[in-house]
Structures are given as C-alpha cells and as structure tokens.
Amino acid sequence: MDTPASPRPPAARPRRRDRHGRGMRGPVAPPQVPLSVPRSVAFDDLVQDSADRLRRHWPQLADVAFVTRDVPDGRPGPGAADTVPLGLAVPARDGSPGCVVVYRRPVEIRAKGRDERSLLVHDIVVEQAAELLGLSPETVDPRYGQDD
C-alpha cells in the first residue's frame, strides 16, 4: 500500500511587517541616548565621577575601591540601629585596599530628583572617604554640604 507523501509545511518567510501593516517596530531609543541607560549604571557613574574628583586631590585614595550596592545587608552597623545607612567605609586590612560602598536604593528614595541625587551621592562619597582618611569632610572637599 502506498502512502501519500505528507504535505510539507510552507517555508517560513521573514516577516517584513507587523500584522497591522505598519512595519516592524524599532527600538524606543537608540542605544547612545541616555534614556536607554539603566538607573543602576547611571548611579555607578555618579559614584565614579565623585571618586575621580576626590582622587585628583587625594592620592591616598588611589587604591580605594568605590563600589555600589543596591541595599545594605541588614546587619546593624555602628550608630543608630533605626536608620538606614547610605554608605559605608571599610578600612584597608590584611593587604586588601580600603573600600567605600554607596547604597543605591536608600539614596534614590531620599533624593527627589537627578540633581539632588548627584549632590547626595557626592556628599556620601566625601563623608566615607573622609572617614577612611581620618579627616573631616570639609577638609576632604571644601564644597561639602553646599548646594551648588
């Protein structure tokens, strides 16, 4: 008994238009537009900009790592246990360099806009760097605490 050949499915054609005939959808914004930069990357850039500004004036900070974390790990730090820390200074030990940590989510919640966030991040970086250097924040950056 001969079995008829099974029909072949039609070859898949590349779609040139969407189902409404308006053409394929493109990206909302090209990759080089700031709209496509994630908030965490923009926050990292703010921290690194502040760190670079301090490193130009304080060579002792050359080996210090400036990093960001989303939220604190939950362990109560020194000081009041009821407040959420915005940053943390980890001194150098056992051959490892010091580290400054800035917590992204608490800072974003506290700041109302982009300019305020930028100033707050810089103040946090200055405070934590001053703690590592054993100096006052005003000594590390004379513009500390000023709203430019």
Side-chain angles (χ1 to χ4, degrees), residues 21 44 46 56 58 64 68 72 74 101 113-114 117 121 133 139:
D44 292 345
L46 287 175
R56 284 193 294 262
W58 296 94
V64 174
T68 61
V101 180
R114 187 181 337 188
R117 185 178 319 123
V121 165
L133 295 171
T139 304

Side-chain angles (χ1 to χ4, degrees), residues 67 72 78 84-90 99-104 106-107 124-125 127-128 131:
V67 297
V84 176
L86 301 177
L88 174 69
V90 180
C99 180
V100 170
V101 180
V102 180
Y103 299 112
R104 182 176 66 87
V107 171
I124 294 166
V125 169
E127 289 169 0
Q128 302 309 319
E131 187 174 325

Side-chain angles (χ1 to χ4, degrees), residues 53-103:
R53 190 170 8 165
L54 290 180
R55 284 181 179 136
R56 284 193 294 262
H57 299 291
W58 296 94
Q60 301 93 320
L61 297 174
D63 294 334
V64 174
F66 291 84
V67 297
T68 61
R69 298 284 182 260
D70 285 339
V71 292
D73 60 3
R75 290 180 288 180
D82 294 340
T83 61
V84 176
L86 301 177
L88 174 69
V90 180
R93 61 175 175 233
D94 299 330
S96 66
C99 180
V100 170
V101 180
V102 180
Y103 299 112

